[in-house]
Amino acid sequence: MFVNRMPRFEPLSEEALATIEAGVDRLAAEVGVQFDHPRALELFAAAGQSVEDGVVRFDPGFLRGQAALAPAEFRLRARNPERDVVVGGDHMVFGPAQGPPFVRIGGERREGTFADLEALLKLTQLTDALDTPGRNILEPNDVPLDVRHLVRGLAAIRLTDRVWAGEPSSEAAADDCLELAAIVFGGRDAIAEAPVLFANCNVNSPLHFDVRMLEGILTYAAAGQAVLVTPFLLMGAMAPVSVPAALVQQSVEALAGIALVQLVRPGTPCVLGSFLSATDMKSGSPAFGGPESALGLYASGQIARRLGLPWRSGGGTLTASPAVDYQAGYEAMNTLQAAFLAGANVCWQSAGWLEGGLVTSFEKFAADCELLDLLLAQFTNVVVDEDSLAFGAHVEVGHGGHFFGTEHTLERFRDCFWRPTVATTENHERWTRNGSLDQAARASRRWQELLERYEPPPLDAAIEEAAVEYVERRAAELGDPLVVRP
Amino acid sequence: MFVNRMPRFEPLSEEALATIEAGVDRLAAEVGVQFDHPRALELFAAAGQSVEDGVVRFDPGFLRGQAALAPAEFRLRARNPERDVVVGGDHMVFGPAQGPPFVRIGGERREGTFADLEALLKLTQLTDALDTPGRNILEPNDVPLDVRHLVRGLAAIRLTDRVWAGEPSSEAAADDCLELAAIVFGGRDAIAEAPVLFANCNVNSPLHFDVRMLEGILTYAAAGQAVLVTPFLLMGAMAPVSVPAALVQQSVEALAGIALVQLVRPGTPCVLGSFLSATDMKSGSPAFGGPESALGLYASGQIARRLGLPWRSGGGTLTASPAVDYQAGYEAMNTLQAAFLAGANVCWQSAGWLEGGLVTSFEKFAADCELLDLLLAQFTNVVVDEDSLAFGAHVEVGHGGHFFGTEHTLERFRDCFWRPTVATTENHERWTRNGSLDQAARASRRWQELLERYEPPPLDAAIEEAAVEYVERRAAELGDPLVVRP
């Protein structure tokens, strides 16, 4: 996996960070956070915090103290041990889009299906730069809602060999995901000891956790799996129209969730989540890839490092554009690059996100995997030593010549530069002769070619059988029987 | 003009910079630089450097010593004093594409004309973020080659009120440009005292200056105008296939030119130029916007600051793409953002560049002006103080509400966020109803709307008359009479 050894881009001064920290203490103490679950309120009360009408108000420093119990870095085991991920420090984990209800394939935009999800899981498995499929690259709308988590979990296990993410939105669904993970990794005790699942829990911003999310947080925390607490803040809607104010709110919300996890089971791995964007104040629509998001990312990285917590950027290849066009290209590059600059540890939404996250685009998925690959090369530090200066090549070429045929070039030409597969450097004549295909059209070919090469990763037959049995039994219990045998 | 108060992104260690500096000394001393002009050789010999068969070999440290004579920061006067530019320090100067022979307007790609150039000059004048039209936003192929510099200079004077750039490629052309500037700014002495022109001089890399460029350098240096010395290095072609080697070569070449300027007239403003990109080693075509270019930019900024010289990034909105598509979007963003991160002082090629610099695209011009505007907002430091935390808004909204109607939002909604003009946040239904226009199509509308608003900046009638007279007289002398009266 990728280790980002480049410097961090840190625009906030020590003084600015201290102002934000004081703001966090004040907001947490004076306005507090509403928790719609009696167990959460009990835990906070037992820890000496003020609980009144479902709202917890926190002593200054309490949230930071709880965060300090979480590990600064941890490992999640994958089905293929070479695909284990380390979360924290300079490590970066990448996953594709999460959650869009719609799919776009070429000119067609429609509701996503399970067949689409399977294809996207295969594309993820085929892409070296993607460490995890996450939970739901798109919504399989043709599968009944109450059994989707079972179908998705099983598909992630069968079609990829990577760390996947569990369903956070109810105790029963979370428990099913833990059971599937236990089947794959040798039981509940084994996964508690060495965790395997991500669980991304959102907040009902501002300053509110509903009962479903809390069920997820409590269940995964008790099981010792990695809990990401991610406030999704569109400034102007769920947060004030000010980046510093949103950063304070984001910190209070994420820390409140993390504090709860640490009360349930101290030392459980946690990730400070962020997802901060502006609202187009004319239309009310969310904006992505703009300056406020980038500033939010740079600052969130600084805040997470100050807290000593692994950090999930609201990064990825975000865009508000409805098309895989010029706007989508620069917004995606701006957001994903900000995650690199800011030193993010977990970057979901890094492939396929389109139309403000309503659509997973197959073309953009392929184009984004290349964009990600470009940034992986860009953020790999170059070695500067005597040999890299190629003095001999200069002696060979002298003045006004060219380097195409020098020994130095001939020895290195195959891998001296990063090479794109989808992007083109064709001149106009050749490009026209080849059909004048733009990046989206070339990316369309790319994912189709890639998919033809797919081979399922090896999976122990007994494990698969046990997982299938579990899923079929639970689906029947939930009233939506499924046939998931091959 | 824009002042970049954000931090610099500096991936090279002190040790790496010292290795590059030692490499510069060695390459300059042992291989040296070829100068095809007797005056240049005389000046270097008189300064005690080794001159043999047209090649100058430099004592270690000589080039740095000469560079130290150039000012770290200087001002260029514009026709409109509000449009003066400061070059150096944290200031950034932006200009559009320079030099493409072709134009693309919508689906049509053809040779550029003077009418196209006039339209692009008007669009530059209409764009607040662009500080200078530079010299040639595209080649006016319908104007005879020997008088193009006259036509271009006059058009820049008439259609914009900004600093422009002179022709570097012969003594006669350079002298004509200086005469035109002298007419506008009160004589040759006045412009020598307070400079007004950029002159960008390229190198015949590797390590070679031809006679035409040297004529330009010598002429502008004697006249005290700002000389940019820019090696244009495609690694694999004019430089070795290694970023550190190319950085050494770039430094030797740029410093050799700057040293010559300082020998002619110590204290003349100079800019260290860079333009470093990879070659696609399969096709031999240049690649733009990739990881090697970005690393080259980050490092070039560090090298220029170490030398105390203002720096021209080979930045701008570069792309190899033949279309205004997703690839063009992310390559442009990657290159221009690298210029901001690396602290560039002069950024030409920041609007309209397409197809590896062979084409100026009107659509991309409009889209790039917005991309530039986005980055200007992104690299403006946010104020973090008590007021920015909007505590009162949180007290007002509490838990689970929204911020659309709060006092804090209502007071700020007009200008709290950066607002695009070309990019869209429309939802799918509205976007489809409005014609499913992608960013290129919307940008096409934008430049046409913008152009309708153009009004020429005021120009003293006597100055215009004198400039017209000069241009018509010189064109007749050069054998290609022109009519340039309105």
Side-chain angles (χ1 to χ4, degrees), chain B residues 74 107 373 401 438 450:
Chain B
F74 60 88
D373 202 56
D438 70 4
L450 205 57

Side-chain angles (χ1 to χ4, degrees), chain B residues 62-328:
Chain B
F62 171 79
L63 293 175
R64 281 195 298 285
Q66 287 296 112
L69 301 174
E73 189 173 305
F74 60 88
R75 174 179 291 264
L76 292 180
R77 287 185 294 148
R79 219 156 64 54
N80 172 357
E82 285 176 19
R83 280 293 176 177
D84 284 4
V85 296
V86 176
V87 180
D90 293 335
H91 294 82
M92 294 184 80
V93 175
F94 298 94
Q98 300 291 309
F102 298 102
V103 67
R104 184 182 273 277
I105 302 180
E108 191 190 14
R109 179 191 187 270
R110 55 168 171 76
E111 291 207 333
T113 65
F114 183 61
D116 298 325
L117 176 60
E118 286 187 308
L120 291 163
L121 284 165
K122 291 175 183 173
L123 289 172
T124 301
Q125 175 69 14
L126 286 156
T127 304
D128 199 48
L130 295 176
D131 299 288
T132 168
R135 182 176 70 91
N136 57 336
I137 311 177
L138 55 62
E139 283 295 333
N141 295 285
D142 53 348
V143 176
L145 202 55
D146 59 347
V147 296
R148 277 189 203 163
H149 65 285
L150 295 165
V151 168
R152 279 201 280 244
L154 185 62
I157 293 164
R158 279 174 156 169
L159 301 175
T160 85
D161 58 4
R162 309 195 182 178
V163 173
W164 72 97
E167 207 75 14
S169 56
S170 81
E171 187 176 335
D175 204 64
D176 282 336
C177 292
L178 288 164
E179 276 306 311
L180 279 173
I183 287 167
V184 174
F185 290 97
R188 294 286 280 250
D189 288 350
I191 65 169
E193 209 164 289
V196 300
L197 284 185
F198 280 117
N200 184 68
C201 303
N202 289 121
V203 184
N204 307 86
S205 304
L207 303 169
H208 177 213
F209 286 81
D210 72 16
V211 65
R212 286 164 53 86
M213 275 297 162
L214 286 167
E215 284 185 9
I217 290 177
L218 292 165
T219 306
Y220 286 106
Q225 303 308 294
V227 179
L228 290 69
V229 185
T230 308
F232 175 60
L233 301 183
L234 296 177
M235 290 177 286
M238 309 84 132
V241 293
S242 147
V243 173
L247 290 167
V248 166
Q249 178 184 335
Q250 170 184 291
S251 301
V252 170
E253 293 177 350
L255 286 173
I258 289 169
L260 178 60
V261 171
Q262 299 304 318
L263 289 175
V264 172
R265 186 177 180 283
T268 293
C270 284
V271 176
L272 183 97
S274 69
F275 209 110
L276 181 56
S277 227
T279 303
D280 181 326
M281 299 303 281
K282 260 202 297 202
S283 67
S285 298
F288 294 100
E292 294 83 12
S293 307
L295 283 166
L297 284 166
Y298 305 149
S300 295
Q302 288 187 263
I303 291 169
R305 280 189 292 283
R306 194 175 163 96
L307 290 162
L309 285 170
W311 168 52
R312 178 196 159 191
S313 69
T317 52
L318 308 192
T319 179
S321 175
V324 185
D325 64 355
Y326 192 80
Q327 175 188 347

Side-chain angles (χ1 to χ4, degrees), chain A residues 114 118 150-151 154-155 158-159 183 459-476 481-486:
Chain A
F114 183 60
E118 284 187 310
L150 294 165
V151 168
L154 183 63
R158 279 174 154 170
L159 300 175
I183 288 168
L459 175 60
D460 184 286
I463 288 178
E464 183 171 13
E465 180 58 30
V468 163
E469 227 168 75
Y470 182 81
V471 166
E472 291 190 344
R473 174 168 67 77
R474 284 289 295 139
L482 289 170
V483 178
V484 292
R485 273 161 216 283

Side-chain angles (χ1 to χ4, degrees), chain B residues 437-457:
Chain B
L437 302 182
D438 70 4
Q439 177 84 345
R442 292 189 303 267
S444 172
R445 291 189 174 179
R446 169 68 181 165
W447 72 258
Q448 293 175 69
E449 285 165 11
L450 205 57
L451 210 50
E452 279 170 23
R453 291 189 225 156
Y454 176 78
E455 284 183 25

